[in-house]
Amino acid sequence: MKYLPFVFKHLRRNWVRTGSTVVAMAVCIFLLCTLRSVLAEVDSMLAASSASRLVTRHSVSLTFNLPVAYEARIQSVPGVKSVARTIWFGGSLPAKKEGQADGGTDSTTDWSNFFNNMGVDADKFFPMYPELTIAPDQWQSFRETRQGCVVGSKLAKKFNWKVGDRFFLESFIPPYRRRSGPFEFVVSGVYEADLAKYPGTDVSTMYFHYEYVKEGLGREIGVGTYMVEIENGDRAAVVGKAIDALFENSSATSITETEQAFKAGFIAMAGNLALLLNGIGLAVAFTILLVTANTMSMAVRERRTEIGVLKTLGFSSAHVMGFVVGEALLLGVLGGALGVFGSQGLLYGLSVLPGVNELLAGIGLSGLQLKPEVAALGFFIAVALGLFAGLIPALSAYRARITDILRTV
Amino acid sequence: MTTMVSVKDVTKVYKRGAEELTVLDSLNLDVPEGEFVALMGPSGSGKTTLLNLIAGIDRPTKGAVVVGGKDIAVLSEGDLAKWRSRNVGFIFQFYNLIPVLSAVENVELPLLLTKLSRKERRERALTALKIVGLADRSSHYPRQLSGGQEQRVAIARAVVTDPQVLVADEPTGDLDAKSAEEILNLMETLNRDFKKTIVMVTHDPRAAERAHVQRHLEKGVLLQR
Ligand SMILES: Nc1ncnc2c1ncn2[C@@H]1O[C@H](COP(=O)(O)OP(=O)(O)O)[C@@H](O)[C@H]1O
Ligand SMILES: [Mg+2]
């Protein structure tokens, strides 16, 4: 296209304006792509949660545990199939080993190696999760080993763990710490999930025996969350209410919600997350549209004479309009490309940065990445914004009459 | 000698809401091929309007404008644009070069509408710059040139497509005496050596002297010679 250099020259001449418009556009697209990617990941995580699984927790906060005695009472509620106690252990690989004196507060926690680990009542917990698969011999060995644990395939790969490997975990939660130091675990098995069938399933968690930690601490530790499997997913709300009604007048009241709702709450953003993020994205996009439209109409107003001259030289109205649209489009393309690359850079950076990746995986966002369709959407929106912003100035350039523009009276 | 420009019984009325302003009133003008005409008259007498009609920038309310044997008053806006790009070169009072383009790029601009290759376009533009004596300034930008030089670049741009007719609206109006002299010399050369038919609007009697014919416009009517 022989007119392209012409359009480029204008953008280069006003490089401050061009630069700031492109950067504004890039920031918009960057936010959009990044937010969309996070949302998509949250969605897939929620979709992976079963509606027939409920989570019962302390009504005050996740940091308070419920009494163990609640298990039998929850089990007695009509519609409940099975109840499994769990604790979120919050353990990480410590610098010190079991047997060494006092873990204490001075023992350093290596956050870069943080991963999700939970103590569960294995015989009840795993049957609730048909999406998780373990080889039968490994499962058997896990059940029979007090210190045994099963680790997700992704986690096993990361630490290069094989069956029989031993490691220590120390919790950062005071009630789960003990004077004699960290807990030792042995890998009994590796669990996997059919990610094609159950996309978003977490395979980065380590599960161990609840009883092992309880005995190791030598006291009751209560239950962080009860996983409750119900007969009929459609009756989740009713069953949940019935469970909470049991403990209404006790000192530890409960909240029961579906696993989906629980997870959404767990990443500290309510169900309005999507709405909020989309709202921000939309507001930003609209602002950028105004900025770009303003830039373009400034560019066109400044160049009224030039437009008159071009038309005098024989360039048609369509030509002149094309120049203006081309310029706006180019702003969109540059801004879009920059924004998409920025987002890709950030999401990739997060996925390889030590510590961050594990923290994300810890809240179930292990697969955070810029999907091609999100990148394409971001780029498309940038181009559309550019086009839209250039439209009105382009039309005014199209309509402008030479005799009106070039009058010098 | 054949007639190059023939303005026949042309009336131009500008409408401003309900108000009608008759700028040109049943005007007739013939310019033979190879002629150099100076168009004079007080401000607001309709000189620019007449020039715009001859150059195919505007269309008359009534009458015919025949240039090179073609009635351009009946052409559509798009056809008129195409016609302009091939048949007429326009020289403005304020040069109207494109500031982001260098001298040679400015001159090359009208050639973008032709089928010429990149190389041919550049060659022709450089030739045109040579004719106006600015070959050594081809990569300069308008702001790096003096007023007289800018106008010479503008003239190169007007002749680069080799049109038969040049129209100039007060081409020396914004220039000092010396630069004006150079521009007028150049126009004379274009008329004499390159056989361009020139219609030039001017206020300046010394500029008008350089033309072969001087016509006076007063309130939309050409005074009889
Ligand atoms: N596009 C236009 N719309 C309305 N009136 C115009 C327009 N162009 C010129 N005129 C009017 O027509 C008259 C002649 O203008 P013009 O041809 O520019 O005169 P000159 O060039 O001789 O000074 C003036 O009164 C001017 O105000
Ligand atoms: Mg005038």
Side-chain angles (χ1 to χ4, degrees):
Chain A
M1 184 68 172
K2 57 185 169 183
Y3 302 119
L4 205 60
F6 182 65
V7 173
F8 256 122
K9 287 208 168 87
H10 278 116
L11 288 175
R12 227 180 46 202
R13 175 65 177 277
N14 265 310
W15 66 269
V16 172
R17 194 163 69 192
T18 303
S20 49
T21 310
V22 166
V23 166
M25 182 85 82
V27 167
C28 162
I29 299 309
F30 168 81
L31 281 176
L32 196 118
C33 284
T34 309
L35 294 184
R36 281 245 138 235
S37 298
V38 171
L39 272 181
E41 185 55 23
V42 169
D43 279 351
S44 81
M45 179 186 90
L46 293 183
S49 321
S50 165
S52 66
R53 288 194 295 254
L54 305 184
V55 181
T56 301
R57 60 177 165 95
H58 199 289
S59 66
V60 175
S61 143
L62 268 173
T63 59
F64 290 114
N65 284 359
L66 292 168
V68 277
Y70 282 14
E71 183 169 330
R73 299 181 64 189
I74 294 171
Q75 183 70 66
S76 73
V77 171
V80 170
K81 201 159 133 195
S82 165
V83 183
R85 56 180 75 173
T86 72
I87 53 165
W88 191 78
F89 186 59
S92 54
L93 299 165
K96 294 183 180 175
K97 303 275 191 263
E98 187 175 29
Q100 283 178 317
D102 185 55
T105 43
D106 59 326
S107 105
T108 47
T109 301
D110 184 2
W111 286 105
S112 68
N113 281 329
F114 186 80
F115 55 88
N116 203 22
N117 43 77
M118 300 183 76
V120 300
D121 182 351
D123 280 342
K124 289 184 165 177
F125 182 83
F126 283 95
M128 291 185 189
Y129 285 85
E131 61 263 45
L132 308 182
T133 52
I134 314 172
D137 55 321
Q138 294 184 356
W139 169 242
Q140 205 50 39
S141 149
F142 173 49
R143 293 185 63 213
E144 289 162 2
T145 313
R146 201 173 65 97
Q147 295 182 323
C149 68
V150 289
V151 293
S153 51
K154 199 169 168 186
L155 190 62
K157 197 170 162 206
K158 174 175 164 131
F159 289 105
N160 202 17
W161 280 332
K162 307 268 179 306
V163 170
D165 283 356
R166 294 177 167 272
F167 60 91
F168 292 84
L169 282 188
E170 182 163 52
S171 172
F172 70 90
I173 303 168
Y176 299 156
R177 297 168 74 97
R178 57 176 182 179
R179 280 199 170 278
S180 52
F183 287 85
E184 183 174 15
F185 296 94
V186 56
V187 178
S188 303
V190 175
Y191 73 85
E192 315 211 37
D194 184 351
L195 289 175
K197 200 167 158 198
Y198 305 102
T201 302
D202 167 47
V203 283
S204 309
T205 298
M206 165 216 171
Y207 296 103
F208 57 88
H209 297 294
Y210 171 89
E211 289 297 320
Y212 168 50
V213 168
K214 189 188 111 179
E215 282 163 18
L217 291 165
R219 54 182 146 81
E220 283 296 347
I221 50 175
V223 172
T225 59
Y226 285 104
M227 300 302 307
V228 182
E229 191 178 15
I230 56 176
E231 314 268 0
N232 181 352
D234 299 340
R235 290 179 42 81
V238 180
V239 176
K241 274 215 188 81
I243 293 172
D244 292 340
L246 283 180
F247 313 118
E248 220 165 38
N249 298 315
S250 49
S251 60
T253 52
S254 68
I255 287 182
T256 303
E257 54 200 350
T258 61
E259 191 179 28
Q260 272 181 17
F262 173 73
K263 280 192 180 169
F266 192 65
I267 53 173
M269 291 178 262
N272 282 336
L273 180 77
L275 208 63
L276 177 74
L277 295 190
N278 278 331
I280 293 173
L282 213 63
V284 172
F286 188 67
T287 312
I288 302 310
L289 177 64
L290 293 184
V291 170
T292 315
N294 186 45
T295 305
M296 286 320 298
S297 53
M298 260 164 78
V300 168
R301 232 176 297 132
E302 264 171 25
R303 297 211 289 270
R304 273 180 68 77
T305 307
E306 180 177 322
I307 286 167
V309 172
L310 287 174
K311 287 191 172 184
T312 304
L313 293 180
F315 287 86
S316 67
S317 293
H319 268 126
V320 176
M321 183 166 149
F323 291 149
V324 176
V325 169
E327 206 172 317
L329 216 52
L330 214 55
L331 287 176
V333 168
L334 290 175
L338 206 63
V340 168
F341 278 118
S343 179
Q344 165 71 26
L346 178 78
L347 293 175
Y348 178 74
L350 287 181
S351 76
V352 296
L353 216 62
V356 177
N357 182 29
E358 289 71 18
L359 278 175
L360 287 174
I363 58 171
L365 296 179
S366 53
L368 204 54
Q369 54 168 324
L370 184 62
K371 296 200 172 66
E373 58 266 30
V374 173
L377 177 77
F379 190 70
F380 172 80
I381 286 179
V383 172
L385 279 182
L387 198 64
F388 205 66
L391 213 59
I392 290 170
L395 275 179
S396 91
Y398 182 88
R399 291 207 197 98
R401 298 181 54 80
I402 303 171
T403 45
D404 292 333
I405 295 177
L406 294 182
R407 274 181 72 191
T408 50
V409 190
Chain B
M1 223 191 267
T2 51
T3 305
M4 180 55 84
V5 178
S6 180
V7 178
K8 290 179 183 161
D9 206 21
V10 157
T11 298
K12 179 69 186 178
V13 179
Y14 282 119
K15 284 206 182 75
R16 271 263 166 80
E19 229 175 298
E20 288 199 347
L21 180 64
T22 304
V23 181
L24 299 178
D25 196 0
S26 305
L27 187 140
N28 285 286
L29 171 70
D30 280 341
V31 182
E33 188 176 350
E35 187 65 283
F36 187 173
V37 182
L39 214 52
M40 303 186 70
S43 213
S45 57
K47 304 184 297 292
T48 297
T49 303
L50 178 56
L51 208 60
N52 285 346
L53 292 177
I54 294 172
I57 286 171
D58 206 355
R59 275 173 293 189
T61 313
K62 232 170 59 194
V65 179
V66 181
V67 181
K70 194 177 182 84
D71 184 2
I72 60 170
V74 299
L75 293 181
S76 73
E77 199 152 320
D79 289 339
L80 212 47
K82 235 176 257 155
W83 178 85
R84 280 200 300 276
S85 71
R86 287 176 200 151
N87 297 288
V88 63
F90 208 104
I91 300 159
F92 306 90
Q93 178 177 357
F94 297 107
Y95 336 128
N96 286 341
L97 298 179
I98 311 264
V100 299
L101 299 182
S102 67
V104 68
E105 287 164 344
N106 263 288
V107 176
E108 203 181 322
L109 205 50
L111 297 178
L112 287 181
L113 292 166
T114 66
K115 289 196 168 67
L116 294 177
S117 75
R118 204 186 155 84
K119 194 162 154 276
E120 287 170 315
R121 293 200 303 262
R122 191 45 64 103
E123 274 167 9
R124 285 213 192 179
L126 285 170
T127 306
L129 275 179
K130 217 171 276 165
I131 290 172
V132 300
L134 282 178
D136 55 335
R137 299 297 163 97
S138 63
S139 59
H140 284 50
Y141 284 85
R143 71 191 131 79
Q144 299 168 318
L145 299 172
S146 72
Q149 288 170 332
E150 276 196 76
Q151 190 62 299
R152 274 147 72 190
V153 173
I155 291 174
R157 180 178 66 187
V159 299
V160 74
T161 54
D162 201 22
Q164 298 163 290
V165 182
L166 290 181
V167 298
D169 196 352
E170 308 198 24
T172 59
D174 201 45
L175 295 175
D176 59 85
K178 187 167 162 291
S179 301
E181 183 67 22
E182 285 170 9
I183 295 300
L184 291 167
N185 288 342
L186 186 54
M187 304 218 9
E188 221 164 37
T189 309
L190 290 173
N191 174 248
R192 192 184 54 233
D193 300 343
F194 293 86
K195 311 293 178 217
K196 302 293 176 205
T197 306
I198 301 180
V199 182
M200 175 176 75
V201 165
T202 185
H203 266 119
D204 181 2
R206 272 191 308 169
E209 266 171 31
R210 308 289 287 266
H212 307 157
V213 181
Q214 299 172 12
R215 301 299 303 265
H216 289 265
L217 201 60
E218 196 106 31
K219 292 189 180 133
V221 181
L222 270 182
L223 300 185
Q224 289 307 311
R225 273 177 286 184

